[in-house]
Amino acid sequence: MTAQIIIHKAGPGLSVQDLGRVGQTHLGLSRGGAADRLALYEAAALLGHSAPIAALEMPIFGGVFEVSVPSRFALTGAPMRAQIGTRALAWNASHHLQPGDILTIGAATAGVFGYLTFAAGLEVAPRLGSRSTHLTAGLGNALQAGTRLALGTDTSRDHTDMVLRSDTRFQGGSLRYIYGPQTGLFDAQTVARFDHTTFTRAPSGNRQGVLLQSDTAPFPAQAPAGLASDFIQEGDIQMTGDGHPFVLLSECQTIGGYPRIGTVLACDIPRIAQAPVGASVQFVHVTLAEADRIAVSQKTLLQDLRRQIRPLIRDPRTIPDLLGYQLISGVSAGREPEE
């Protein structure tokens, strides 16, 4: 039998996402991929993978899932209510799902994007080097109830359920940013006011970007009439026509004409992507040299996360397949204290 995930219920925007497509800007295609890439690295650490793999991205609401073969999975990103049958599951942790059991993932209790990653991997055909659905570009579609997705093979050696300390990126907060080629279009007073303003995440936002509002807007640019469209990228802070900042996310366009006051550091993009409506956000300027010192390689990030994971301790009374676990390691003659 082919290993499958059966989707019985799907929240709006449920889609397959990995780290996205790199090097396709010349085709007018942005990177796409997970809005919160850190969540994929967290899943890789929990599942014992050497690199992140494709996951199901769940904006605001999750879904109801079943598998045809015993499967391990990780829950990362925005915390959501999750349970197998009536048993509640820890978030930011890995678990096992047996055929016939029903995994139910409800609404987010914080943040925006939750992720369900199966250790066996999703056997979705890559397009342009990625399995990610890119809704803006028309690459794939949001998943619906009744969809079946093929699973690969779980090659991990250690199948122990693990847990990772919860992160704090789901409530807004500080976003570090660097100046860019168009920062000079804003006068010094406007930039200073921007740096000292507390913004609120507006209801307007999706995988293309997030609008921020404040009582001190607008933040006008001294741009010449007919400013030419220019290359833009994820993390850029565009100032809209009414002077409000719009932070670009993974499915942004590759060309834009709104002036940009700067660019959010890649490591802080998950924080703005996960900021819920009404969350407070502040921008903190850092120099390019500081940004270089802050940046870590993907390899280092995964190593750091692996050092933080711990075995997930569960109440034995809630483990239906308790006898399937190795409860004793090695043998004992029973005379050790005497010797």
Side-chain angles (χ1 to χ4, degrees):
M1 175 186 294
T2 301
Q4 291 183 328
I5 306 167
I6 304 99
I7 302 175
H8 293 295
K9 184 177 180 180
L14 178 71
S15 64
V16 175
Q17 299 295 340
D18 57 20
L19 294 179
R21 296 170 176 86
V22 180
Q24 306 297 334
T25 305
H26 66 290
L27 300 177
L29 182 64
S30 55
R31 179 191 64 83
D36 179 359
R37 277 176 283 182
L38 177 55
L40 300 192
Y41 282 93
E42 291 170 335
L46 288 166
L47 296 172
H49 289 165
S50 59
I53 61 173
L56 295 179
E57 181 179 87
M58 305 174 289
I60 303 297
F61 296 98
V64 178
F65 310 91
E66 187 179 358
V67 292
S68 63
V69 296
S71 302
R72 286 193 311 134
F73 64 93
L75 299 170
T76 58
M80 295 176 162
R81 296 181 178 89
Q83 59 190 52
I84 295 177
T86 59
R87 176 170 61 88
L89 300 180
W91 200 262
N92 235 32
S94 61
H95 305 276
H96 285 71
L97 185 63
Q98 300 297 325
D101 289 344
I102 299 298
L103 169 63
T104 302
I105 302 177
T109 59
V112 178
F113 297 98
Y115 294 85
L116 169 58
T117 306
F118 284 89
L122 301 176
E123 291 294 291
V124 176
R127 285 181 288 184
L128 296 176
S130 170
R131 291 183 166 86
S132 284
T133 298
H134 196 304
L135 298 173
T136 307
L139 294 174
N141 299 289
L143 300 173
Q144 305 294 327
T147 300
R148 291 172 177 256
L149 298 174
L151 283 171
T153 302
D154 185 357
T155 58
S156 304
R157 295 182 179 179
D158 187 358
H159 287 191
T160 304
D161 290 339
M162 307 298 288
V163 66
L164 183 63
R165 182 179 58 194
S166 297
D167 194 68
T168 60
R169 64 183 182 278
F170 310 108
Q171 305 164 1
S174 297
L175 303 175
R176 293 164 292 187
Y177 82 104
I178 57 173
Y179 292 155
Q182 293 183 340
T183 306
L185 297 176
F186 300 83
D187 62 41
Q189 291 77 17
T190 299
V191 174
R193 186 160 52 88
F194 176 81
D195 287 346
H196 288 88
T197 295
T198 296
F199 295 91
T200 299
R201 158 73 196 269
S204 298
N206 52 30
R207 286 175 46 81
Q208 291 181 274
V210 170
L211 178 66
L212 300 174
Q213 297 175 324
S214 73
D215 294 335
T216 59
F219 297 88
Q222 310 303 313
L227 181 66
S229 291
D230 195 8
F231 168 76
I232 57 175
Q233 64 180 351
E234 182 181 12
D236 279 353
I237 310 166
Q238 287 187 321
M239 212 60 71
T240 62
D242 56 2
H244 290 282
F246 188 88
V247 183
L248 302 181
L249 296 182
S250 60
E251 283 191 12
C252 66
Q253 297 175 317
T254 56
I255 296 292
Y258 287 122
R260 291 159 287 148
I261 199 168
T263 301
V264 175
L265 301 192
C267 57
D268 285 354
I269 290 177
R271 184 175 296 277
I272 182 60
Q274 293 283 16
V277 174
S280 296
V281 172
Q282 306 84 35
F283 291 94
V284 178
H285 171 251
V286 297
T287 65
L288 188 57
E290 289 172 323
D292 285 339
R293 286 195 294 270
I294 293 168
V296 297
S297 69
Q298 297 179 354
K299 179 180 179 181
T300 299
L301 173 60
L302 188 52
Q303 289 174 341
D304 289 344
L305 290 170
R306 283 175 178 159
R307 283 193 286 267
Q308 298 175 36
I309 63 172
R310 298 291 183 269
L312 177 62
I313 300 174
R314 291 166 51 190
D315 185 339
R317 292 170 297 181
T318 68
I319 305 177
D321 57 341
L322 180 63
L323 296 180
Y325 289 79
Q326 180 176 332
L327 302 179
I328 300 175
S329 178
V331 295
S332 168
R335 297 191 301 271
E336 286 79 355
E338 300 173 3
E339 298 171 355

